[in-house]
Amino acid sequence: MSVSVQNFGSKTVNFQGVTLDVKVPKDGISFTVIGKGNPGEDYYIDSVVSPTGNTVRVRGTQSSKGVLSVQFPNTPKRSIQPGTYKVTLYMFSGQRSNSTDVQFQVLHKQSPQPPTKGTLDLNLYFVGVPGLTASSAPNHQKFKSLMAKVEGIYKNAGVSFGKITYHDVSKDDADELSVCDLDKGEMERLFKMSKSQSNKALNFFFIREIREKGQNTGTVGIAGGIPGPAYIHGTAGSGVLVTAEAFEQQVQFVAETMAHEGGHYLGLYHLTESTGQMHDPLPDTPECPREVGNRDGKKYLIKRSLSKCKGYGIDNNMFWTGDGKQAQEKLSPHQKFVLMRNPLIK
Ligand SMILES: [Zn+2]
């Protein structure tokens, strides 16, 4: 497998749209469009037209964090062919006079045969988790078993770890950000700390707790995008948060969380979303049946719970929630299809 980069430089995106000629090589197995602009500016991919003129639907990370990332194909239901794809993007909102300048690049993944295995490089950042620093982590027994479990989950989809680098943030940053308040933009501040990286690795930030409006809402991890931007460090979306304060007592749960959030960054969606209404685009992952209740004479969707979805994918790592008891380690062949086409998997 190899990845070639098609650089488009800076393009102005406005309500009239801009079209990128994405040139898929003969042995192209996927392409990923990445746009780097300014946070808060909404532009989106309107259409992708194949070399034979078919319009295909795509889903991916939108631009509001200053970075857009869309991988095609992200399901085996779609096939890719060599030739020129026309990818058209528009400015999303505001006045017709609005426009924004965006740096675009397209990562073409190439392989003569459909890939069956690959490696993933990691940059690990330690942000005030007791007992974990860049120097202690590589020899910490519980941390080593945590990493072995994460790799074990990914190996179900043919992915092993490659080069791992270990980093501390400054003491001041660790004091301030180990309890990461989402309302204060602290997650984005952490992800931007990856700016000094130039490797093709996935950035994980180990923190103690995630809060919203000063409260711990029980969120155990967050990915910077689905998929997150590959090869682009230092943006508000360039990383994955993992709460690891209890990693010594909960190796399995923290490992599943880390694999799950990393899975999002690598392009995997929840099998069924918490509302029961949305599903990933993969035919081989189970879906919870849509269960409709009756309240005040009106139909409504019951929030998915682990017990309600027994037998419908709760043992898959990309189930939308976990309880710390049910093991969630599985990845399906179609999830592997997506991972093998992500540029971060070498
Ligand atoms: Zn998730």
Side-chain angles (χ1 to χ4, degrees):
M1 281 188 286
S2 61
V3 175
S4 61
V5 181
Q6 193 184 353
N7 255 312
F8 289 87
S10 183
K11 297 268 185 192
T12 300
V13 185
N14 57 22
F15 81 97
Q16 289 180 303
V18 63
T19 297
L20 308 177
D21 282 349
V22 173
K23 296 196 158 82
V24 174
K26 245 191 200 129
D27 57 353
I29 57 166
S30 72
F31 65 82
T32 300
V33 180
I34 296 181
K36 198 178 159 198
N38 300 309
E41 291 187 333
D42 288 323
Y43 55 93
Y44 69 108
I45 290 188
D46 179 69
S47 64
V48 175
V49 179
S50 78
T52 47
N54 294 321
T55 301
V56 291
R57 272 190 67 215
V58 292
R59 181 179 171 193
T61 295
Q62 296 305 336
S63 65
S64 55
K65 279 187 183 165
V67 64
L68 166 143
S69 178
V70 174
Q71 178 184 319
F72 178 84
N74 70 347
T75 167
K77 284 195 289 190
R78 301 280 183 211
S79 59
I80 188 167
Q81 60 197 105
T84 302
Y85 281 75
K86 299 263 182 200
V87 177
T88 302
L89 300 104
Y90 283 91
M91 190 87 185
F92 189 58
S93 58
Q95 298 173 337
R96 284 164 72 90
S97 57
N98 282 359
S99 71
T100 182
D101 291 331
V102 180
Q103 296 277 339
F104 285 108
Q105 62 177 32
V106 173
L107 306 177
H108 291 280
K109 199 155 183 193
Q110 292 162 253
S111 176
Q113 306 291 334
T116 56
K117 59 181 189 226
T119 59
L120 173 66
D121 292 349
L122 306 175
N123 297 321
L124 307 182
Y125 285 86
F126 301 98
V127 189
V129 177
L132 280 188
T133 63
S135 57
S136 72
N139 299 308
H140 192 297
Q141 284 310 321
K142 282 278 165 71
F143 189 74
K144 276 163 60 179
S145 61
L146 167 75
M147 293 300 290
K149 273 196 182 291
V150 178
E151 189 177 29
I153 293 171
Y154 284 162
K155 276 185 175 164
N156 293 332
V159 177
S160 338
F161 289 152
K163 191 171 182 348
I164 301 177
T165 66
Y166 299 81
H167 307 272
D168 290 315
V169 302
S170 74
K171 189 180 177 305
D172 284 353
D173 285 334
D175 287 347
E176 195 183 344
L177 303 173
S178 70
V179 175
C180 189
D181 210 314
L182 300 182
D183 302 304
K184 295 181 188 156
E186 292 182 342
M187 173 173 76
E188 289 78 6
R189 271 179 65 193
L190 280 171
F191 291 167
K192 285 179 182 176
M193 288 179 190
S194 63
K195 201 178 166 85
S196 59
Q197 299 291 348
S198 57
N199 57 8
K200 290 161 183 168
L202 174 47
N203 304 314
F204 280 99
F205 291 82
F206 294 97
I207 59 168
R208 288 170 47 214
E209 195 178 309
I210 294 170
R211 286 192 188 170
E212 259 175 288
K213 300 194 176 91
Q215 302 288 318
N216 183 346
T217 57
T219 304
V220 290
I222 301 177
I226 311 177
Y231 297 11
I232 306 279
H233 298 287
T235 75
S238 297
V240 172
L241 279 189
V242 181
T243 59
E245 181 155 37
F247 79 99
E248 293 189 78
Q249 296 79 42
Q250 298 183 314
V251 170
Q252 177 76 19
F253 184 62
V254 176
E256 287 171 0
T257 300
M258 185 175 166
H260 176 103
E261 299 305 333
H264 281 318
Y265 201 97
L266 297 168
L268 298 179
Y269 292 92
H270 294 154
L271 282 63
T272 299
E273 293 297 344
S274 60
T275 57
Q277 288 172 297
M278 297 231 333
H279 306 284
D280 71 19
L282 307 175
D284 78 344
T285 52
E287 295 178 356
C288 295
R290 191 182 289 196
E291 209 171 295
V292 180
N294 220 314
R295 186 168 53 193
D296 303 332
K298 286 180 187 156
K299 303 263 186 194
Y300 70 101
L301 287 161
I302 296 171
K303 204 172 175 181
R304 304 298 87 192
S305 67
L306 279 174
S307 58
K308 291 252 168 60
C309 284
K310 239 189 181 96
Y312 296 97
I314 59 171
D315 54 354
N316 189 288
N317 187 242
M318 296 312 294
F319 194 77
W320 79 276
T321 188
D323 64 359
K325 295 181 200 122
Q326 164 71 46
Q328 297 180 307
E329 299 185 333
K330 284 192 182 162
L331 290 170
S332 76
H334 288 176
Q335 288 172 318
K336 177 176 180 175
F337 174 97
V338 177
L339 297 180
M340 287 298 137
R341 280 152 188 78
N342 187 287
L344 286 168
I345 307 290
K346 295 179 192 180

